[in-house]
Every structure is written in structure tokens, then in C-alpha cells.
Amino acid sequence: SYVLAQPPSVSVAPGKTARITCGGDNIGSKSVYWYQQKAGQAPVLVIYYDRDRPSGVPERFSGSNSGNTATLTISRAEAGDEADYFCQVWDNSREGVFGGGTKLTVL
Amino acid sequence: VQLVESGGDLVQPGRSLRLSCAASGLTFDDFAMHWVRQAPGKGLEWVSGISWNSDTKTYADSVKGRFIISRDNAKNSLYLQMNSLTAEDVALYYCAKDRAAGYAGNFDGFDIWGQGTMVTVSS
């Protein structure tokens, strides 16, 4: 089955840029979705189709996808961005696959 | 738009449970729907998805043959019948709406989530 690899944790200083990677075999050929999950809350979709933002998601959130790595970039990081972030794709059998998640700390 | 799950409970290993998800504020039969679960302190795991017209149903390998997804568009409701439950099924189960209207052979992202219903399996 298809596997997505994320770093367990990423730290960023307030106002700086955080990059969270999601690795998978030829992931560049798939559409990647990113979710933000704050403590005790349901996940929220922040990026779809690799780089598109749902309405209401700040422009500070952006995405890219090429080769074997997709990246979620959070510019001008704020304390409110602290959360777990999960990437997700659909495999060839139309089964959903999530990465293990990355805990973002803003310090 | 709101999704409200129900049916979570404490059950013994090997028993069955049926989860429900009531949708409101959307044209339910326009969208595919999904179940996603999260074990305590763990990451997200997609469980199952169903197209708007129930023609397509897919399952994670971990639940294939034990869980059955269904929907009743007249009642704006999604269901998950869970059989032969084990300790590995302990999780918060979320109902999630597919982002794209219609179904052209591929599911999309999950843009609306419920708050989840907890399933505990223990003797």
C-alpha cells in the first residue's frame, strides 16, 4: 500500500517560515491535501489539489508538490498556527492515505 | 453546514456497532462521504468512502470485510456498520464530507468534518 512520510515535528520562530514535507513514491503525480488539527478539535482542510486554499484559509498557507515530495509552507508563522498537520492522497485503489502527521511548534 | 455523528459506545471484542452521521445545511446527495478515525494520541486513518449515489464504496484494508458503509439520501444520513470489533478499532470516528460535488471516479479532500463519536472495544 502507498506510504506517506512526514517529520514528527517542526519548530519555527514567530514571523518566520515553516515548511512541512510529505514524502511518497512519485507523489508529484497525485493530488495532495493538507489538514490542520488543533488540540481537541476536528481537522480542517487548508490545502487541496497540491496548492489551492479553501475560502477562509489565510494566504500565508501555501503548497507545492513535485517528484517525491509535497510541501506545506506557512509564512509569517503565528502562535495560532500551532497544530498537527497531516498530508493525504488517494492511492490507485481509491483508498485514502494519510501521512503520520507533523506537530508544528511556534516558539 | 453541520455533520453530527452518533452511535459510539463501549463494546466487547467481537461485537458489532453501527455509527450514524446526520448532515444538515447542505445538499447531501451531491457529495461523496467518508469515515475517518483517530486512535487516542495517534494520527488520522481513512476508513471508508461512498459516492453520492452509493455506486462506489471503498474501504481501508484494516476494515475490509468487517465494516460496511451506507447512506440514505432521503434522510441526509451516513452510516458505518462495524462488525467483529477488536482493540485495534478503538478510536474517535469522524464523518467527513467530500469537497467536490458529484463523483467522477475520484474522491476529493474532506472539507467538512463532524466532531466525532468515540468507539471503545474492551471486555
XYZ file of all heavy atoms in Angstrom, chain A residues 7-79:
542
model
N 7.822 14.389 8.817
C 8.638 14.529 10.040
C 7.716 14.651 11.236
O 6.668 15.298 11.148
C 9.413 15.831 9.789
C 8.560 16.601 8.832
C 7.904 15.574 7.955
N 8.064 14.035 12.352
C 7.175 14.085 13.524
C 6.969 15.494 14.058
O 5.891 15.806 14.576
C 7.892 13.208 14.552
C 8.783 12.335 13.744
C 9.205 13.139 12.573
N 7.986 16.337 13.933
C 7.878 17.674 14.494
C 8.671 18.685 13.676
O 9.685 18.338 13.056
C 8.345 17.687 15.947
O 9.713 17.339 16.023
N 8.171 19.905 13.700
C 8.838 21.046 13.077
C 8.667 22.236 14.013
O 7.564 22.441 14.561
C 8.237 21.378 11.698
C 8.711 22.736 11.197
C 8.585 20.286 10.682
N 9.720 22.989 14.198
C 9.656 24.191 15.030
C 9.947 25.415 14.174
O 10.749 25.355 13.235
C 10.670 24.112 16.176
O 10.372 23.035 17.029
N 9.313 26.527 14.531
C 9.517 27.771 13.795
C 9.372 28.948 14.752
O 8.562 28.889 15.696
C 8.500 27.883 12.629
C 7.081 27.947 13.146
C 8.796 29.094 11.748
N 10.141 29.986 14.536
C 10.016 31.198 15.345
C 8.860 32.035 14.808
O 8.558 32.011 13.607
C 11.316 31.993 15.294
N 8.202 32.757 15.678
C 7.110 33.627 15.210
C 7.587 34.578 14.114
O 8.680 35.151 14.209
C 6.712 34.398 16.467
C 7.138 33.525 17.593
C 8.393 32.839 17.130
N 6.776 34.705 13.066
C 7.143 35.595 11.972
C 8.004 34.956 10.899
O 8.176 35.536 9.816
N 8.536 33.779 11.172
C 9.367 33.072 10.197
C 8.537 32.082 9.384
O 7.340 31.958 9.569
C 10.515 32.358 10.913
C 11.426 33.307 11.690
C 12.063 34.339 10.767
C 13.060 35.213 11.510
N 13.662 36.257 10.614
N 9.232 31.378 8.486
C 8.558 30.447 7.588
C 8.779 29.006 8.013
O 9.923 28.602 8.246
C 9.066 30.642 6.148
O 8.742 31.966 5.704
C 8.435 29.628 5.203
N 7.677 28.248 8.093
C 7.753 26.826 8.414
C 7.448 26.020 7.156
O 6.547 26.376 6.381
C 6.744 26.468 9.499
N 8.182 24.958 6.969
C 7.952 24.050 5.845
C 7.789 22.632 6.368
O 8.656 22.123 7.085
C 9.100 24.134 4.836
C 9.181 25.483 4.118
C 10.332 25.549 3.142
N 10.365 26.845 2.451
C 10.949 27.933 2.948
N 11.545 27.880 4.118
N 10.928 29.065 2.260
N 6.678 22.020 6.016
C 6.374 20.660 6.436
C 6.331 19.791 5.191
O 5.572 20.064 4.260
C 5.030 20.600 7.187
C 5.098 21.468 8.455
C 4.686 19.162 7.545
C 3.767 21.617 9.174
N 7.145 18.755 5.172
C 7.235 17.904 3.992
C 6.399 16.639 4.130
O 6.075 16.191 5.240
C 8.689 17.513 3.714
O 9.206 16.819 4.862
C 9.525 18.735 3.423
N 6.078 16.083 2.985
C 5.285 14.848 2.891
C 5.886 14.046 1.744
O 5.779 14.457 0.579
C 3.836 15.190 2.629
S 2.732 13.773 2.386
N 6.544 12.958 2.072
C 7.237 12.170 1.070
C 6.475 10.923 0.668
O 5.899 10.241 1.511
N 6.461 10.649 -0.635
C 5.813 9.449 -1.148
C 6.328 9.144 -2.541
O 6.765 10.054 -3.256
N 6.258 7.889 -2.920
C 6.751 7.468 -4.226
C 6.004 8.182 -5.351
O 4.793 7.984 -5.519
C 6.601 5.953 -4.358
C 7.164 5.418 -5.654
O 8.166 5.976 -6.143
O 6.600 4.441 -6.188
N 6.716 9.033 -6.087
C 6.128 9.791 -7.204
C 4.870 10.535 -6.770
O 3.877 10.609 -7.516
C 5.824 8.860 -8.376
C 5.579 9.592 -9.675
O 6.083 10.704 -9.879
N 4.791 8.990 -10.559
N 4.924 11.127 -5.597
C 3.755 11.838 -5.085
C 3.370 13.008 -5.996
O 2.227 13.442 -6.015
C 3.984 12.322 -3.630
C 2.682 12.761 -2.975
C 5.032 13.443 -3.602
C 2.811 13.122 -1.501
N 4.329 13.471 -6.786
C 4.054 14.572 -7.701
C 2.977 14.242 -8.721
O 2.389 15.148 -9.320
N 2.688 12.963 -8.912
C 1.654 12.555 -9.864
C 0.268 12.477 -9.214
O -0.721 12.173 -9.893
C 1.994 11.177 -10.452
O 1.933 10.180 -9.446
N 0.204 12.768 -7.932
C -1.067 12.698 -7.199
C -1.468 14.075 -6.697
O -0.628 14.973 -6.553
C -0.934 11.749 -5.998
C -0.566 10.315 -6.359
C -0.451 9.469 -5.125
C -0.050 8.035 -5.455
N -1.059 7.350 -6.273
N -2.744 14.245 -6.408
C -3.220 15.459 -5.748
C -3.032 15.296 -4.247
O -3.419 14.272 -3.674
C -4.695 15.710 -6.064
O -4.870 16.131 -7.387
N -2.461 16.313 -3.624
C -2.177 16.259 -2.193
C -3.093 17.225 -1.445
O -3.350 18.350 -1.902
C -0.708 16.610 -1.912
C -0.428 16.605 -0.404
C 0.212 15.616 -2.617
N -3.569 16.761 -0.317
C -4.424 17.560 0.563
C -3.709 17.711 1.906
O -3.047 16.786 2.369
C -5.776 16.868 0.761
C -6.469 16.538 -0.546
C -6.187 15.358 -1.223
C -7.381 17.422 -1.120
C -6.793 15.064 -2.436
C -7.994 17.139 -2.328
C -7.694 15.961 -2.981
O -8.293 15.681 -4.177
N -3.885 18.865 2.526
C -3.286 19.138 3.829
C -4.376 19.541 4.826
O -5.272 20.330 4.500
C -2.261 20.257 3.734
C -0.996 19.887 3.031
C -0.692 20.067 1.715
C 0.172 19.302 3.627
N 0.571 19.617 1.446
C 1.124 19.142 2.605
C 0.492 18.890 4.916
C 2.388 18.596 2.831
C 1.741 18.345 5.145
C 2.675 18.195 4.118
N -4.250 19.001 6.038
C -5.206 19.283 7.103
C -4.474 19.809 8.326
O -3.377 19.346 8.653
C -5.987 18.017 7.480
C -6.723 17.419 6.310
C -6.084 16.518 5.468
C -8.028 17.785 6.018
C -6.740 15.983 4.368
C -8.693 17.262 4.921
C -8.038 16.367 4.095
O -8.680 15.853 3.004
N -5.116 20.750 8.994
C -4.616 21.280 10.258
C -5.527 20.783 11.360
O -6.749 20.881 11.247
C -4.654 22.819 10.223
C -4.294 23.496 11.527
C -4.690 24.970 11.513
O -5.851 25.314 11.526
N -3.693 25.844 11.489
N -4.947 20.241 12.422
C -5.751 19.794 13.550
C -5.200 20.381 14.834
O -4.104 20.017 15.269
C -5.797 18.268 13.642
C -6.754 17.773 14.731
C -6.834 16.263 14.843
O -5.853 15.551 14.609
N -8.009 15.757 15.186
N -5.954 21.284 15.434
C -5.575 21.852 16.713
C -6.061 20.935 17.833
O -6.984 20.138 17.644
C -6.140 23.266 16.846
C -5.560 24.242 15.819
C -6.080 25.646 16.003
C -5.431 26.577 14.967
N -5.903 27.976 15.107
N -5.434 21.061 18.972
C -5.701 20.172 20.096
C -7.187 20.128 20.448
O -7.810 21.173 20.636
C -4.890 20.616 21.305
N -7.735 18.919 20.496
C -9.119 18.733 20.887
C -10.149 19.100 19.831
O -11.356 19.114 20.119
N -9.698 19.378 18.614
C -10.618 19.799 17.560
C -10.572 18.838 16.370
O -9.624 18.074 16.212
C -10.288 21.212 17.097
C -10.410 22.265 18.190
C -10.127 23.663 17.663
O -10.177 23.925 16.460
N -9.851 24.579 18.581
N -11.599 18.918 15.555
C -11.609 18.154 14.313
C -10.637 18.780 13.311
O -10.342 19.971 13.396
C -13.015 18.132 13.727
N -10.134 17.997 12.378
C -9.236 18.548 11.366
C -9.941 19.577 10.480
O -11.165 19.566 10.336
C -8.833 17.318 10.549
C -9.065 16.164 11.462
C -10.265 16.544 12.276
N -9.120 20.434 9.863
C -9.599 21.452 8.934
C -8.765 21.363 7.665
O -7.530 21.319 7.732
C -9.479 22.857 9.543
C -9.806 23.928 8.508
C -10.368 23.003 10.772
N -9.419 21.343 6.518
C -8.709 21.328 5.238
C -8.082 22.689 4.991
O -8.772 23.709 5.007
C -9.696 20.988 4.110
C -9.159 20.948 2.689
C -8.201 19.771 2.494
C -10.322 20.863 1.687
N -6.765 22.728 4.740
C -6.106 24.007 4.490
C -5.544 24.109 3.071
O -5.314 25.212 2.581
C -4.990 24.288 5.526
C -5.576 24.497 6.913
C -3.936 23.192 5.539
N -5.279 22.971 2.430
C -4.794 22.968 1.054
C -5.422 21.783 0.314
O -5.472 20.669 0.863
C -3.260 22.842 0.970
C -2.569 24.080 1.540
C -2.790 22.568 -0.475
C -2.674 25.330 0.644
N -5.882 22.006 -0.912
C -6.331 20.911 -1.763
C -5.712 21.069 -3.146
O -5.267 22.147 -3.517
C -7.863 20.850 -1.835
C -8.529 22.045 -2.483
C -8.892 22.033 -3.817
C -8.813 23.187 -1.745
C -9.509 23.121 -4.417
C -9.423 24.292 -2.321
C -9.773 24.250 -3.662
O -10.380 25.333 -4.248
N -5.690 19.988 -3.893
C -5.066 19.970 -5.229
C -3.650 20.560 -5.175
O -3.287 21.419 -5.988
C -5.893 20.735 -6.245
C -7.268 20.176 -6.533
C -8.203 20.926 -7.228
C -7.639 18.910 -6.114
C -9.472 20.437 -7.502
C -8.901 18.409 -6.367
C -9.818 19.174 -7.065
O -11.073 18.679 -7.333
N -2.884 20.125 -4.208
C -1.475 20.497 -4.024
C -1.257 21.911 -3.500
O -0.361 22.139 -2.690
C -0.691 20.408 -5.359
C -0.682 19.026 -5.965
O -0.920 18.046 -5.229
O -0.428 18.913 -7.175
N -2.048 22.895 -4.017
C -1.688 24.285 -3.755
C -2.888 25.223 -3.605
O -2.684 26.417 -3.389
C -0.811 24.809 -4.879
C -1.438 24.791 -6.256
C -0.472 25.330 -7.329
N 0.710 24.491 -7.462
C 1.918 24.860 -7.116
N 2.122 26.075 -6.625
N 2.949 24.057 -7.281
N -4.109 24.724 -3.747
C -5.279 25.596 -3.652
C -5.762 25.723 -2.211
O -5.733 24.746 -1.447
C -6.413 25.067 -4.530
C -6.098 25.194 -6.014
O -5.167 25.954 -6.373
O -6.774 24.528 -6.812
N -6.230 26.909 -1.851
C -6.702 27.166 -0.491
C -8.219 27.273 -0.462
O -8.799 28.036 -1.245
C -6.135 28.483 0.050
C -4.721 28.454 0.525
C -4.345 29.814 1.140
N -4.730 30.923 0.277
C -4.023 31.351 -0.743
N -2.878 30.746 -1.042
N -4.449 32.358 -1.484
N -8.868 26.577 0.469
C -10.314 26.789 0.657
C -10.538 28.217 1.126
O -9.651 28.845 1.705
C -10.677 25.780 1.756
C -9.577 24.770 1.743
C -8.357 25.507 1.336
N -11.736 28.727 0.890
C -12.040 30.072 1.359
C -11.890 30.126 2.876
O -12.279 29.190 3.585
C -13.454 30.482 0.946
O -14.397 29.598 1.513
N -11.325 31.219 3.354
C -11.135 31.391 4.783
C -9.751 31.000 5.280
O -9.380 31.353 6.408
N -8.998 30.272 4.466
C -7.637 29.905 4.864
C -6.696 31.046 4.455
O -6.700 31.472 3.306
C -7.206 28.589 4.201
C -5.732 28.279 4.502
C -8.094 27.446 4.677
N -5.893 31.528 5.395
C -5.014 32.669 5.082
C -4.045 32.372 3.945
O -3.608 31.238 3.752
C -4.252 32.875 6.397
C -5.112 32.270 7.453
C -5.795 31.111 6.799
N -3.680 33.433 3.216
C -2.726 33.296 2.113
C -1.350 32.866 2.608
O -0.503 32.464 1.811
C -2.610 34.624 1.363
C -3.865 35.000 0.586
C -3.667 36.282 -0.188
O -2.535 36.799 -0.234
O -4.658 36.777 -0.763
N -1.123 32.971 3.924
C 0.160 32.539 4.478
C 0.390 31.040 4.290
O 1.520 30.566 4.368
C 0.222 32.871 5.969
C 0.065 34.343 6.304
C 0.245 34.613 7.789
N -0.752 33.949 8.620
C -0.519 32.838 9.327
N 0.676 32.281 9.324
N -1.499 32.311 10.060
N -0.696 30.314 4.037
C -0.598 28.865 3.811
C -0.502 28.599 2.309
O -1.345 29.049 1.529
C -1.825 28.139 4.378
C -1.856 28.096 5.877
C -2.276 29.188 6.607
C -1.470 26.951 6.568
C -2.294 29.162 7.994
C -1.493 26.900 7.952
C -1.912 28.025 8.669
N 0.539 27.868 1.919
C 0.713 27.540 0.506
C 1.248 26.123 0.388
O 1.785 25.553 1.356
C 1.659 28.527 -0.178
O 2.941 28.478 0.411
N 1.091 25.551 -0.798
C 1.537 24.184 -1.004
C 2.216 24.002 -2.333
O 2.017 24.787 -3.267
N 3.060 22.983 -2.404
C 3.720 22.618 -3.647
C 3.869 21.104 -3.669
O 3.786 20.436 -2.632
C 5.084 23.309 -3.768
O 5.951 22.885 -2.731
N 4.105 20.582 -4.868
C 4.200 19.130 -4.999
C 4.973 18.791 -6.264
O 4.588 19.180 -7.361
C 2.803 18.499 -5.063
C 2.840 16.988 -5.096
O 3.834 16.369 -4.723
N 1.750 16.370 -5.535
N 6.068 18.054 -6.092
C 6.884 17.672 -7.240
C 7.732 16.459 -6.879
O 8.168 16.327 -5.728
C 7.794 18.831 -7.654
O 8.619 18.473 -8.749
N 7.920 15.598 -7.864
C 8.783 14.440 -7.629
C 8.251 13.548 -6.517
O 7.128 13.060 -6.589
N 9.062 13.364 -5.496
C 8.694 12.502 -4.377
C 8.342 13.260 -3.102
O 8.225 12.653 -2.034
C 9.837 11.525 -4.071
C 10.069 10.530 -5.190
O 9.117 10.000 -5.774
N 11.330 10.271 -5.508
N 8.175 14.601 -3.231
C 7.917 15.396 -2.031
C 6.878 16.488 -2.269
O 6.973 17.256 -3.220
C 9.213 16.052 -1.535
O 10.218 15.047 -1.322
C 8.989 16.799 -0.223
N 5.909 16.535 -1.365
C 4.970 17.644 -1.301
C 5.320 18.468 -0.069
O 5.798 17.919 0.940
C 3.537 17.151 -1.216
N 5.079 19.778 -0.143
C 5.462 20.664 0.953
C 4.337 21.630 1.278
O 3.763 22.251 0.378
C 6.723 21.461 0.602
O 7.789 20.550 0.277
C 7.163 22.340 1.770
N 4.057 21.745 2.571
C 3.164 22.780 3.081
C 4.042 23.872 3.664
O 4.883 23.598 4.523
C 2.233 22.214 4.154
C 1.365 23.230 4.887
C 0.312 23.812 3.949
C 0.700 22.587 6.114
N 3.843 25.101 3.194
C 4.632 26.229 3.672
C 3.725 27.199 4.408
O 2.663 27.572 3.910
C 5.321 26.949 2.500
O 6.179 26.021 1.827
C 6.152 28.122 3.002
N 4.140 27.566 5.605
C 3.393 28.529 6.407
C 4.300 29.731 6.600
O 5.319 29.646 7.309
C 2.972 27.933 7.756
C 2.192 26.630 7.539
C 2.142 28.939 8.551
C 1.914 25.856 8.812
N 3.934 30.842 5.979
C 4.737 32.056 6.070
C 4.295 32.891 7.263
O 3.142 32.808 7.708
C 4.590 32.878 4.785
O 4.932 32.105 3.655
N 5.208 33.677 7.765
C 4.901 34.586 8.888
C 4.131 33.829 9.977
O 3.019 34.206 10.343
C 4.115 35.791 8.381
C 4.863 36.574 7.305
C 4.072 37.807 6.839
N 2.779 37.462 6.270
C 2.585 36.977 5.061
N 3.626 36.746 4.259
N 1.375 36.722 4.620
N 4.748 32.788 10.465
C 4.098 31.900 11.423
C 3.608 32.653 12.657
O 4.271 33.580 13.150
C 5.039 30.773 11.828
N 2.435 32.220 13.122
C 1.820 32.827 14.305
C 1.598 31.741 15.364
O 1.517 30.549 15.053
C 0.469 33.451 13.932
C 0.536 34.488 12.838
C -0.848 34.971 12.414
O -1.859 34.415 12.903
O -0.912 35.912 11.580
N 1.418 32.177 16.584
C 1.173 31.227 17.672
C -0.067 30.379 17.379
O -0.125 29.188 17.716
C 1.013 31.970 18.987
